[in-house]
Amino acid sequence: MTSVDTAKELGLLPEEFEKIKDILGRVPNFTELSAYAVMWSEHCSYKNSIVWLKKLPKSSPRMLAEAGQENAGLVDIGDGLACAFKIESHNHPSALEPYQGAATGVGGINRDIFTMGARPIAQLNTLRFGEPQLDHTKHLLRGVVKGIGDYGNAFGVPTVGGEVFFDKCYNTNPLVNAFSAGIVETDKIASAISYGVGNPVFIVGSATGKDGIHGAAFASKDITEDSIKDLPAVQVGDPFQEKLLLEATLEVIATGHVIGVQDMGAAGVICSTAEMSAKGEHGMDIQLDKVPLRQANMLPFEILLSESQERMLIVVKKGYEADILRIFDKWDLNCVQIGEVTASKELRFFMNGELAAQMPAESLVLGGGAPVYHREYQEPAYFKAYQQFDIAQVPEPKTLAEYQNIARHLLSHPNIASKRWVYEQYDSMVGTANMNSCEPADAAVVRVKGTDKAIVITVDCNARYVHAHPEVGAMIAVCESARNVVCAGGEPVAITNNLNFGNPYNPEVYWQFVGSVQGIINACEKLGTPVTGGNVSFYNQSATVDKNGGNVTNAVFPTPTIGMLGLMENLAHRTTLDFKAEGDAIYLLGTLRNDLASAEYLYSYHNIAASPAPFFDLDEEHKLQATLLKAIRAGLVASAHDVSDGGLFVALTESALPRQLGVEVSLSLPQGLRKDAALFGESQSRVVVSVKPENTVAFEQLMQAQGQAAARIGTVRGKAIRIDGDVLIELSEAADLYDNSLGRLMA
C-alpha cells in the first residue's frame, strides 16, 4: 500500500497525494502513483508556470497550431508548406552526463519535429557553462559539444548556428537548449491525438530499457551532491536508429492511415498515452507485456516511465495494420501493437493479463486534472542596488594603450570570441540547404528546397541583462533575435522559447520568471511574433555548503532563451555581416548613448557586476527593424550586423574580419559622451551597415524619410580597426585573438 511518504519520495506534495485519492476514489498503487508523479512534475505539467504561460500571445494569420496544441509550433510559410519548429532543454541530464544528456536532447527535439510530419532541415543550440578556466566546465563543454555533434552529424541534419555563454552562475548547472526546424506540406501534417474505438495502438522504434526512468521528475528538482545517484534518469541515444525512425515515420504518415503520433520523450509510455487520449477524449487499453524490452524482468512502472530514446506511439485506422507493419519492417524497426483505443476515457495498463494501473487520461495532463499553482513572488534585494549604478564610478580609459588592451580583452573573451572550436565539430552542410557556410550572417538562412524562399532562424538571450532587469532583459532577448533575422534579410514571424530558471518555490526566482514572461509578451505583441510553444526548465540551481557550514543556494541567471523564426520570400534579399569592398560607406543605425550597463566591458574588464540592463526602447527597436528591412529589400545594403555583446567596436571588427577589410571610423562624440561607452557600451537598437558609394544618397534619403537615426561614421579601408585616427588593433592580431582564443583555452 502506498502512503504519503512514498508520494513525497516521488516528488509529490501531500495535498497532491490527497487529490489523486479523490480522483481515483481509492489509494493509488505504486505504478499509478509513479505515473502521477512524472505527469504532475513541473517538466510535464508546467504546474508552477502555466498561469503565466497562458498570457503569452499565441495567434497570427500564419499560425497553423497554437502553443501547446501539438508536439511543435507550426507556421504557414506559403506555397502549401509549413515550418514546424521548437526549442527544448536537456539541462539536468547534461549536468550529470554531458555527452548523452546533450545527444538525447538533440534526438528528442528532432522527434518533436518529424512527429508533425515535417522533415527536419536545420538545428541550432544555445549553451551556457560556468567559468571557462575550470576543469569541470571544460569537461562539460567537451561532452556536450561532442554529444550534439555526434548525434546531429549521424542523424543527418545540419547544425547551422547557436550561441555559447560563460558565467560562474552556471558552474554546477549548465544549460543545454536544442532547437530544430522542419518543413511539411500542409496536407500531410500529423497530430498528437487518439480517437476511434477499436483503433490499434502501436509502439515503434527502439526497445524499452531502464534508462531515463523518473527522468521528468529528476528534471524537476535541484542538482545536489546526491544527484549522481540519478544517472539512470539520463537517457542513452542512438542517432542511426533515429534516422531510420524518421524515414519510417514520414512514410507511414504519408499513407493517410495514421490517426495520431507522438514522440515518446519525457515520461515515456504514460505521457504519450495520456496526452493523446486526453486530447482525443478517448481511452486506451495497453498490454505492457507486449512492449519490446531490452532488459529482462522490467516492472510495470518501469515500462510505463522509461524514457528510452527513439520511440513513438502511433494510433492507426483499424484495418490498415498490415500496411503500417510492412513499412516499419522495411526499415528494420520494432512495430508492435500494444493496445487499442476505447470509449472509456480511462487508461488501463495490463501486465500478463492482470490490471496493473487504471487512471482517467484527463486527470494526468496539463489542461486537465494536473494541478495549477499561483506561486508567490517578490523583488530580490539586489534589484534596487543594480539600478543605483552610476557610470561615473567607472574609471575612463586615458590612453590609446588602454583602449588597445580593452580591445584585446574583448576579442579574446570566451563570450565574444569566435566559437569555431565548437562549430567545427558540427556538420553544417549536410542536406545542402545551409546558405551561411562561407558567408557569415547574424542569423542562419536555410533554403526551402523547391522554392525561392528560405527560413531564417536564430537563438538569443543575454542572461546578464535578464538578471539585471527581467522584463527589459526578456524584451531585449526577443528583439535581438528579431534584429538578427532582419539583419540577415528575413522578416520575423514567430518565436519558440526555453525558459530556464531556478527553483519556482523561491519567491525571488519566481519574480524573475514573471518579469521575463511579461517582457516576452510586450516584445512579441509589438513585433507581431506570437509564441508557438517551447519549454520551461525550473530547478536550475544547486545547493552547496559555505565555509561556516551553512547551506547556500546558487541559481543560474534567469535565461529565457528565444528561438526566432523568420521568413525570406526571395533569396535575393539575403544579407551577410561582412564588409564587401574598400570604399564602401559605414553607417550606424540607432543612437550612441552614455551607457555601459551590463556590458561585457563593464562586467569582465572592470569586474562590476551590479548594473541595470542596457538602454532599451521598444518603439525605437520596432522602427529600426522595419526601416532596415525596407533598405535591404530595396537593395541598398551591402552588409548588416547588429551591435550587441562588446558594443560597436566588436560589431565593426566582426564585420571586418571575414574579408580582412579594415575600417576608418570617426565617432565625432558630442559633449559628455564617453568614448568607452561609444565603443564598448551595449545600448540596444543599433546596427552597423555598409553601403556601396553609388547607393549612399538613396540610403540616406530612405533613413530620413523613415525618421531613423543613421550616422555615416566611416569607410571600409585598410587592414586595421582605426578609430578617430588611432589604430585600436590590426586585423591580423584581431583575427588570431578572435578565432583561436577559445580553442587555446580548451587545449
Side-chain angles (χ1 to χ4, degrees), residues 540-558:
N540 293 290
Q541 65 182 49
S542 56
T544 57
V545 179
D546 64 19
K547 60 184 178 182
N548 299 317
N551 290 323
V552 178
T553 299
N554 304 292
V556 300
F557 282 163

Side-chain angles (χ1 to χ4, degrees), residues 8 22 41 108 118 219 277 351 378 391 398 400 403 424 433 454 475 490 547 625 647 670-671 682:
K8 287 162 70 176
D22 288 342
S41 69
S277 296
M351 189 75 173
Q378 67 183 41
I391 195 172
K398 303 297 184 189
L400 174 60
Y403 276 100
E424 282 185 341
M475 284 194 288
K547 60 184 178 182
Q625 293 188 22
Q671 184 84 20
E682 298 178 12

Side-chain angles (χ1 to χ4, degrees), residues 636-659:
L636 300 176
V637 175
S639 71
H641 186 27
D642 86 312
V643 177
S644 55
D645 299 355
L648 176 61
F649 161 72
V650 168
L652 289 167
T653 306
E654 289 177 336
S655 292
L657 285 174
R659 297 175 188 259

Side-chain angles (χ1 to χ4, degrees), residues 46 50 53-60 63-75 85-86 279 366 495-497 530-535:
Y46 296 151
I50 191 62
L53 299 181
K54 285 182 176 179
K55 300 176 186 293
L56 293 166
K58 300 179 178 69
S59 300
S60 85
M63 296 290 285
L64 296 176
E66 291 193 358
Q69 289 183 344
E70 297 294 350
N71 288 311
L74 200 61
V75 174
F85 72 113
K86 190 180 182 183
K279 184 175 180 180
L366 166 68
I495 75 161
T496 177
N497 58 41
V531 181
T532 63
N535 178 232

Side-chain angles (χ1 to χ4, degrees), residues 221-400:
K221 59 185 180 182
D222 296 352
I223 295 287
T224 68
E225 291 181 359
D226 291 330
S227 292
I228 196 69
K229 298 174 184 175
D230 285 322
L231 265 178
V234 179
Q235 308 92 330
V236 178
D238 181 347
F240 301 103
Q241 190 86 337
E242 176 124 330
K243 174 63 174 172
L244 298 177
L245 187 58
L246 160 68
E247 300 300 341
T249 302
L250 294 183
E251 188 173 338
V252 161
I253 291 171
T255 65
H257 304 330
V258 172
I259 295 290
V261 54
Q262 182 158 328
D263 163 39
M264 211 167 282
V269 171
I270 185 59
C271 185
S272 49
T273 54
E275 290 184 348
M276 293 174 74
S277 296
K279 184 175 180 180
E281 299 184 344
H282 278 65
M284 285 185 189
D285 282 354
I286 301 293
Q287 313 297 325
L288 294 175
D289 48 287
K290 292 186 177 180
V291 174
L293 304 178
R294 62 169 178 258
Q295 287 170 270
N297 303 317
M298 287 183 67
L299 298 172
F301 88 90
E302 293 175 318
I303 300 171
L304 266 187
L305 272 57
S306 168
E307 295 181 11
S308 293
Q309 297 292 284
E310 293 88 37
R311 299 179 304 155
M312 304 279 205
L313 197 75
I314 297 182
V315 178
V316 177
K317 295 175 184 175
K318 189 173 181 62
Y320 294 97
E321 295 89 339
D323 294 349
I324 306 306
L325 288 164
R326 185 167 56 250
I327 290 171
F328 278 95
D329 184 58
K330 181 182 82 170
W331 291 100
D332 197 25
L333 291 169
N334 287 317
C335 179
V336 178
Q337 183 177 344
I338 61 170
E340 64 179 32
V341 178
T342 67
S344 67
K345 299 186 182 180
E346 293 274 319
L347 297 177
R348 298 198 303 170
F349 299 97
F350 297 87
M351 189 75 173
N352 299 319
E354 294 188 4
L355 183 65
Q358 181 172 352
M359 299 156 284
E362 185 267 350
S363 72
L364 291 157
V365 302
L366 166 68
V372 174
Y373 297 119
H374 294 257
R375 292 287 166 220
E376 295 180 5
Y377 54 95
Q378 67 183 41
E379 182 182 292
Y382 76 81
F383 181 71
K384 278 194 172 60
Y386 275 40
Q387 312 315 308
Q388 304 306 312
F389 169 77
D390 184 351
I391 195 172
Q393 74 191 71
V394 184
E396 193 168 354
K398 303 297 184 189
T399 66
L400 174 60

Side-chain angles (χ1 to χ4, degrees), residues 499-725:
L499 308 179
N500 305 274
F501 293 84
N503 192 316
Y505 293 86
N506 179 333
E508 296 187 351
V509 166
Y510 204 76
W511 177 86
Q512 294 173 330
F513 171 75
V514 172
S516 297
V517 171
Q518 189 58 56
I520 293 171
I521 292 170
N522 296 344
C524 286
E525 287 181 344
K526 184 71 175 181
L527 299 181
T529 54
V531 181
T532 63
N535 178 232
V536 177
S537 176
F538 281 135
Y539 302 96
N540 293 290
Q541 65 182 49
S542 56
T544 57
V545 179
D546 64 19
K547 60 184 178 182
N548 299 317
N551 290 323
V552 178
T553 299
N554 304 292
V556 300
F557 282 163
T559 311
T561 304
I562 304 299
M564 179 67 72
L565 173 70
L567 184 61
M568 187 182 296
E569 295 282 5
N570 188 334
L571 293 173
H573 298 148
R574 184 168 71 97
T575 308
T576 56
L577 64 82
D578 51 315
F579 293 140
K580 301 299 187 295
E582 288 227 0
D584 284 357
I586 300 171
Y587 290 84
L588 175 64
L589 307 190
T591 304
L592 286 173
R593 288 185 165 85
N594 218 34
D595 183 13
L596 288 175
S598 287
E600 188 64 60
Y601 162 66
L602 182 72
Y603 191 81
S604 64
Y605 185 81
H606 287 290
N607 296 309
I608 297 175
S611 70
F615 176 87
F616 175 74
D617 181 275
L618 191 51
D619 291 329
E620 190 175 311
E621 178 73 36
H622 184 252
K623 179 195 287 186
L624 169 78
Q625 293 188 22
T627 304
L628 178 57
L629 199 54
K630 279 187 171 72
I632 288 172
R633 288 179 173 175
L636 300 176
V637 175
S639 71
H641 186 27
D642 86 312
V643 177
S644 55
D645 299 355
L648 176 61
F649 161 72
V650 168
L652 289 167
T653 306
E654 289 177 336
S655 292
L657 285 174
R659 297 175 188 259
Q660 289 289 294
L661 291 170
V663 303
E664 292 183 358
V665 164
S666 176
L667 292 176
S668 304
L669 298 178
Q671 184 84 20
L673 180 53
R674 292 171 47 149
K675 187 172 183 177
D676 60 344
L679 284 173
F680 312 125
E682 298 178 12
S683 63
Q684 295 297 293
S685 310
R686 293 183 295 152
V687 174
V688 169
V689 301
S690 64
V691 178
K692 293 178 181 179
E694 61 267 29
N695 290 332
T696 56
V697 172
F699 179 80
E700 290 175 11
Q701 288 175 341
L702 175 60
M703 294 299 112
Q704 189 172 11
Q706 297 296 316
Q708 173 60 49
R712 185 168 178 170
I713 61 172
T715 306
V716 178
R717 184 175 292 128
K719 296 291 182 183
I721 304 299
R722 190 181 295 272
I723 308 291
D724 295 332

Side-chain angles (χ1 to χ4, degrees), residues 167-190:
D167 190 274
K168 64 183 179 182
C169 75
Y170 304 107
N171 276 350
T172 301
N173 293 84
L175 302 183
V176 177
N177 296 176
F179 171 107
S180 182
I183 303 298
V184 59
E185 295 175 29
T186 52
D187 61 351
K188 293 181 180 175
I189 296 167

